[in-house]
Amino acid sequence: MTEVAQKVALPAFLKKRLQAFRIGQGSDQYYLLKDPRNDDTHKLEPWQFFLLEVLPGCDNYPKLLGIFEDRFGQSTSQSEIESLFELVAGKKLFGLSALSHPLLAEFNKQRNEEKSAKPMKERIAEAKEKAAAQSQENAENALPPGISEALSFDNNMKQLRWKLFNPKALLKLLAPALSPLRFLMYALPVLLVTGVFLFSRYFTFVEEDITLMLQGVSMIEHALISMLTVNLSVTFLTMLVAHNFRANVYGLGIVLYMGFFPRFCAMMTDVQQFTRRERMWLHAAPLLYRLALFSVAILVWFNTRGYESFTSSFALILAIASAISFLITVNPLVKSNGYHFVAALLDTPKLRQKAYKALLNKMKGNVYQEANAELLAAYALASTVFMIVLFVVVLLLLGKFLKIYLGGVGVLITCFVALTFFYRMVSRFIRINEAHERATQFERWRNRTLTSKEKEEKNQVKVSSTAVYIKRALLVTILGLLFVPYSYEPGGSFVILPDQKQEVTSDISGIVSVINFKGGENLKKGEAIGSLMHGDSLAQMNKLEALMLEQQAVINELKSRPRAEDVKLAESMLDVELTRSRFSRAKVNRLEKLHKTGTVSFEELDDARREHRIDLAQTAEKRANLDVVKAGATPDQIAAAEAKLLSYQEERDYYKEKVDLSTLYMPFDGRLITMHLQQKVGSFLERGEPLAIVENTSTVLAQIDIPEADIAYVELGSSVRIRPQAFYSMDFNGQVLSVDSNVSEERMGKVVRVITTLDNTDGLLKTGMSGYAKVDSQTLPVWKVFSLAIVRFVEVEMWSWIP
């Protein structure tokens, strides 16, 4: 033997005197059986030698076929194995121990009973021809693309299904009546455009209605509604289309999708006879139906929304369920209608298996390559990532729902489901990798490119030792990093608020007459921003000021009494009246004497007496007036005059205040943030309506939403670092100013608002900016930081379960 030959163990049922050798390296590799007695050699292929090696452990053909498929990732047939037995028996390589094996004993019995005396070469040729025919028959019976791996069509799939009833009679009854509805497909583009337009145009209303529905209906109820509407109708449509394409639909069943999610499925046979066009329509019809259902449901919702009826809510649920179902099933990364449609379109069976094989070839750099390997590898990678993301989203929704209704038990159930999925995913990847290795090895053996056993063992030892070293080094490094001090900084999203902010309003209403700024300027405190028309108030104010001057003069005059001139005048007037009364008295005395003599009449005497009495009264009046003048103005007169002056002053102040309020001033140093103020000239400003908004951002506040679980690590005065979205490469430093005493409920959970002050003299931070903030806290080891969530769960959630 040459130096490239390696002696190996002889298969058990061959003659004991034979010697087995593995010959060659690289592209020249095969097995030789040498008979030392007559120096004969017999050449065997690697797969033939493998079957002879594993034969002692296999007492029936199914087991032997299964081991072969597990080893090479390829199937063989009983005829091919029998042809191998015929080849070995014809060369007389089997020993006496072969008769103890059930398969070889049966083969030897059939071989001895053959009546025809055909030469060995002819029998071997017939066996090979039979094996080829069997392979051809298996290929013909294989399901075509679009049918293979489809849950409703491929009965070879190992998926637990429960049959509900046989819909054949119902399909025969409804098929003729529903067949004309297929022409509605031509109206689908118009319906779809209308539905998408309404959905996008009124998305705010859609969001509001969905929020209201989610408050009263749980996630399980929504899933059940979706199953009994969209999923059931799509399954019935699939059965109807398959029935129309001559398939034998024998059942409507339920299957657990992803192991726990119930879905309806169809059960049918005679699907191998579908043409490529029929297979494409079989998967395109459900996709088009989902689009039509979405469009019609949106139209119904839009037209019935104003009535607040059950129809509107049900139509919206139907639209959302059909849209989500379409987005999932149309994705060729999921084994659903979209994937099977692409497989039927490309007429490529087992598309995902080929894609995973191409991906592993790319990752491992194997020689064997499929056509379009890069495209297939990208498809496999995208499919894997999509399925992981989809399951994570479903898991998060499930966890949230179970936590609400089951508390900590729901969290444990969610963790169990996640671990189960992770285990199944890892197991599947391991099986895919093993199948790929077997398939690649088989291809290499078939193409004579198998490397030598010594080289493989050497590489394996080298890789194994390197892998063990790397694993140990990583383990030590990870354990060391767990005890590294870590500065724990609780944080959360923030929003920037101004230190001072005010709406400039007026207590009066009026027409805006003057605006001094355009908006956006920096102003000083007291600068006039604008004013309202105040002509009437100004005129009333001037009039009242004149009345005040008049009334003040009256008060001054009253306070100046008694004056000497007034007293002298009153005395003079009294003297006049005294003189007049003396003369009138003298006249009365004269007339009395004349009346006694009969010179004058009684009437003249009476007139003189009456005139005298009047003079006496006027004298008394003038004497009283003299007393009044000498007494001066009374306190009550002065108080009344002063009160009237005060009323004038109050009214004047009211109009003066209106004039002052008509001009609006800057309340503090800051920025006028309202823009296009000049456009408000001539408009009517109601009382209390803001004319402009001003704020001071030289110092700003950052309102940080700290998760409730981390608020214990936040203290007043702690340093804060914030990083806005707009300035992602810059940090702004501040200090904790206050911590809210209440806990707020946000979408991400319960948070406590923390206020911090930040210097903003450069004006980079704008009101409303957002980003993420970190609050300086304690220094903890890494292991404790990463275990805080687990500790909280154990100390709170699990503690709550303990009675």
Side-chain angles (χ1 to χ4, degrees), residues 420-444:
T420 303
F421 169 76
F422 180 76
Y423 172 76
R424 293 181 60 181
M425 180 182 67
V426 172
S427 301
R428 184 177 180 185
F429 285 156
I430 291 175
R431 290 197 301 270
I432 291 173
N433 184 62
E434 291 176 351
H436 172 265
E437 291 293 339
R438 291 193 298 268
T440 304
Q441 189 176 30
F442 179 77
E443 294 291 341
R444 286 173 171 172

Side-chain angles (χ1 to χ4, degrees), residues 188-203 206 210 229-230 233-234 286-302 312 314-327:
L188 179 59
V190 178
L191 283 174
L192 183 60
V193 170
T194 305
V196 172
F197 172 76
L198 292 176
F199 184 81
S200 58
R201 177 67 175 79
Y202 300 99
F203 180 76
V206 172
I210 291 176
T229 53
V230 179
S233 59
V234 167
L287 296 176
L288 297 176
Y289 171 76
R290 290 182 176 94
L291 291 177
L293 191 62
F294 165 77
S295 304
V296 173
I298 284 294
L299 286 173
V300 173
W301 165 80
F302 178 73
S312 174
F314 181 76
L316 184 59
I317 292 176
L318 202 61
I320 300 302
S322 57
I324 295 175
S325 177
F326 172 78
L327 293 175

Side-chain angles (χ1 to χ4, degrees), residues 128-147:
K128 289 184 176 181
E129 183 178 350
K130 184 179 179 181
Q134 182 69 27
S135 299
Q136 180 66 23
E137 183 180 356
N138 293 337
E140 291 176 356
N141 292 332
L143 295 177
I147 300 299

